[in-house]
């Protein structure tokens, strides 16, 4: 009955209420209320319920009926749903997958799709999502309400777009972690859930990518909270269990010979994880994977990262030549240029570019890191 276990059954409970006659928005609200009540009545996993899903369905259905009875304008609907189905096993159905597709509907903005996915599929409360995104709870409530209204009339009578669902999960993962809920861990949990329902190499590729990146998390920051670049990280602090699992999942996906962007990104992450020391990184092979990734996506950020890899494989001058093909407006362009100029020995230009990159940085930790780089190079020039 711990909260994480409860959240894992939320999509199925919503789907049961929808099959019984509730609309999606009302079912989702009822399940959230039931979830909160269940956590209150069984704090810290005390007095565990043997059938958590059945318990949550019962409580949520009662909440839905209460809300329906309170709405006089829906009295006709109340008569239709008044009779509560007899207790018994819940029919097996893959309704969770439909909720993924509904919450990642193309009519929603990326921010709304992420918020609705965390609510309906992840089982998080509006307050938890608001804290994770550092916005007021009222703002997040409005965002979720708009999203639910948008998809209220959507029928899921045809296959959904797996690529859209994966983009939403990737967005959740990239938001990092803050507040009460660790969005990185939540994204991995949701992607595992999706992988259990969808036999698709790109779903496996995304899960492998998340695990391989998450494995480096303990070494990414110093005790004072400052960023530690990949080349300077203490690799003994990497999570080897997550690396082994990520590589295993990736190898199985690649063996199916249906390469996609998430598998290619995971392959790059696996090559970094495979190197005992930064100096032993197989940069030529990483460049090859970036070439594949650029072919698949034509993404300017991919070309930016490829320039870094080229600089490591063939020298900083070659990296700078590759960087010339990338528009300077691409985020972190100045930071990459600074790194390559530093390696090429042009400390003055590197220091200037580090300072420029610090000014453009969106996060405090990254801004401090780039500022310190610029100050260090200026000190060396004196």
């Amino acid at each position: 009955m711990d909260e994480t276990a409860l959240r894992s059954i939320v999509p199925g409970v919503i789907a049961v209420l929808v099959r019984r006659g509730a609309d999606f928005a009302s079912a989702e609200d009822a399940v959230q209320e039931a979830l909160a009540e269940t956590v209150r009545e069984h704090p810290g996993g005390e007095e565990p319920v043997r059938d958590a899903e059945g318990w949550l369905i019962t409580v949520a259905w009662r909440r839905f009926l209460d809300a329906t009875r309170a709405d006089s304008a829906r009295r006709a609907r109340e008569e239709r749903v008044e009779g509560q189905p007899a207790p018994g096993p819940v029919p097996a159905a893959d309704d969770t997958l439909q909720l993924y597709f509904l919450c990642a509907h193309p009519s929603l903005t990326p921010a709304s799709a992420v918020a609705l996915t965390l609510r309906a599929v992840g089982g998080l409360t509006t307050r938890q999502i608001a804290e994770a995104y550092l916005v007021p709870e009222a703002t997040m409530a409005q965002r979720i309400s708009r999203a639910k209204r948008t998809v209220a009339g959507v029928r899921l009578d045809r296959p959904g777009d797996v690529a859209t669902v994966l983009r939403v999960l990737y967005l959740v993962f990239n938001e990092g972690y803050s507040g009460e809920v660790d969005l990185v861990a939540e994204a991995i949990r949701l992607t595992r859930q999706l992988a259990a329902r969808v036999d698709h190499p790109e779903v496996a590729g995304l899960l492998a990518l998340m695990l391989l990146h998450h494995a480096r998390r303990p070494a990414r920051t110093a005790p004072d909270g400052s960023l530690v670049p990949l080349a300077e990280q203490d690799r003994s602090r990497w999570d080897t269990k997550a690396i082994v699992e990520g590589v295993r999942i990736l190898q199985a996906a690649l063996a199916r010979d249906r390469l996609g962007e998430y598998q290619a990104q995971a392959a790059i992450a696996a090559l970094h994880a495979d190197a005992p020391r930064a100096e032993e990184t197989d940069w030529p092979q990483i460049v090859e994977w970036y070439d594949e990734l650029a072919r698949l996506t034509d993404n300017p950020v991919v070309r930016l990262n490829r320039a870094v890899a080229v600089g490591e494989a063939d020298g900083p001058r070659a990296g700078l030549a590759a960087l010339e093909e990338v528009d300077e407006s691409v985020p972190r362009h100045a930071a990459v240029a600074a790194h390559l100029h530093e390696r090429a020995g042009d400390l003055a230009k590197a220091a200037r570019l580090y300072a420029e990159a610090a000014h453009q940085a969106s996060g405090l930790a990254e801004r401090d890191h780039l500022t310190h780089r610029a100050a260090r190079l200026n000190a060396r020039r004196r």
Side-chain angles (χ1 to χ4, degrees):
M1 282 297 294
D2 64 274
E3 191 171 349
T4 300
L6 277 173
R7 291 207 307 266
S8 69
I9 62 176
V10 162
V13 175
I14 294 175
V16 169
L17 266 63
V18 170
R19 287 206 304 273
R20 290 181 175 181
D23 61 274
F24 170 77
S26 298
E28 200 275 330
D29 286 340
V31 171
Q32 287 292 331
E33 291 179 14
L35 187 65
E37 178 180 332
T38 304
V39 172
R40 282 197 307 270
E41 292 190 6
H42 303 272
E46 298 173 2
E47 302 178 19
V49 174
R50 281 178 292 181
D51 180 10
E53 185 175 19
W55 168 270
L56 202 57
I57 289 171
T58 300
V59 177
W61 184 249
R62 288 171 181 165
R63 287 287 168 271
F64 168 68
L65 291 179
D66 289 344
T68 303
R69 293 188 185 101
D71 190 348
S72 57
R74 297 181 182 180
R75 196 165 300 280
R77 181 180 175 188
E78 177 186 356
E79 294 173 358
R80 177 164 53 91
V81 301
E82 180 66 38
Q84 183 170 339
V90 179
D94 199 6
D95 298 298
T96 299
L97 184 57
Q98 290 190 327
L99 288 183
Y100 270 103
F101 292 133
L102 183 67
C103 295
H105 196 269
S107 62
L108 296 173
T109 65
S112 294
V114 167
L116 192 57
T117 299
L118 289 172
R119 263 278 292 209
V121 183
L124 302 184
T125 65
T126 302
R127 178 183 59 79
Q128 288 173 322
I129 302 170
E131 286 185 355
Y133 282 88
L134 304 179
V135 298
E137 184 174 351
T139 300
M140 185 57 68
Q142 290 176 351
R143 184 180 300 174
I144 293 171
S145 294
R146 286 196 299 269
K148 288 197 288 188
R149 286 197 299 271
T150 300
V151 301
V154 174
R155 292 184 60 190
L156 289 171
D157 53 0
R158 63 185 62 185
D161 181 10
V162 174
T164 302
V165 175
L166 292 179
R167 278 195 295 273
V168 170
L169 292 173
Y170 190 56
L171 284 172
V172 176
F173 183 82
N174 284 340
E175 284 297 329
Y177 40 91
S178 58
E180 178 182 326
V181 178
D182 183 341
L183 288 183
V184 171
E186 186 64 16
I188 292 173
R189 186 181 75 84
L190 293 176
T191 306
R192 282 191 192 279
Q193 198 177 79
L194 181 64
R197 289 168 168 80
V198 179
D199 182 22
H200 194 295
E202 273 293 80
V203 177
L206 180 58
L207 179 56
L209 174 64
M210 289 179 175
L211 290 168
L212 290 164
H213 276 302
H214 191 47
R216 302 201 299 261
R217 178 173 172 180
R220 282 196 181 118
T221 55
D224 62 359
S226 59
L227 291 180
V228 180
L230 178 61
E232 300 172 18
Q233 288 177 12
D234 178 0
R235 300 187 175 211
S236 68
R237 298 183 63 200
W238 289 1
D239 184 345
T240 54
K241 182 179 178 181
I243 291 172
V244 169
E245 183 185 7
V247 169
R248 176 181 56 78
I249 293 172
L250 172 63
Q251 288 174 338
L254 291 175
R256 301 178 65 175
D257 198 25
R258 290 168 56 194
L259 184 64
E261 61 177 298
Y262 297 115
Q263 295 169 74
Q265 288 188 58
I268 293 168
L271 286 167
H272 283 297
D274 189 52
R277 298 183 304 143
E279 298 79 16
E280 299 177 57
T281 304
D282 189 347
W283 286 107
Q285 192 174 352
I286 288 177
V287 172
E288 291 178 6
W289 276 110
Y290 271 121
D291 289 339
E292 287 283 356
L293 193 53
R295 180 182 61 80
L296 290 166
T297 66
D298 191 30
N299 188 318
V301 175
V302 170
R303 294 196 295 274
L304 181 74
N305 291 332
R306 179 184 178 277
V308 176
V310 169
E312 297 292 340
D314 302 324
R317 295 299 174 190
L320 287 167
L323 187 62
E324 290 179 0
E325 302 175 9
V326 183
D327 193 290
E328 292 185 3
S329 65
V330 175
R332 300 194 70 253
H333 186 285
V336 169
H339 168 73
L340 292 170
H341 279 291
E342 179 183 2
R343 290 197 62 228
D346 190 346
L347 303 189
K349 189 166 187 178
R352 179 178 61 77
L353 286 167
Y354 275 130
E356 179 183 331
H359 180 71
Q360 297 170 351
S362 57
L364 179 60
E366 183 182 6
R367 183 162 63 248
D368 288 346
H369 170 72
L370 294 168
T371 300
H372 291 153
R373 289 272 174 176
R376 178 176 54 82
L377 292 185
N378 285 327
R380 284 173 58 185
R381 293 170 50 223
R382 294 194 184 110

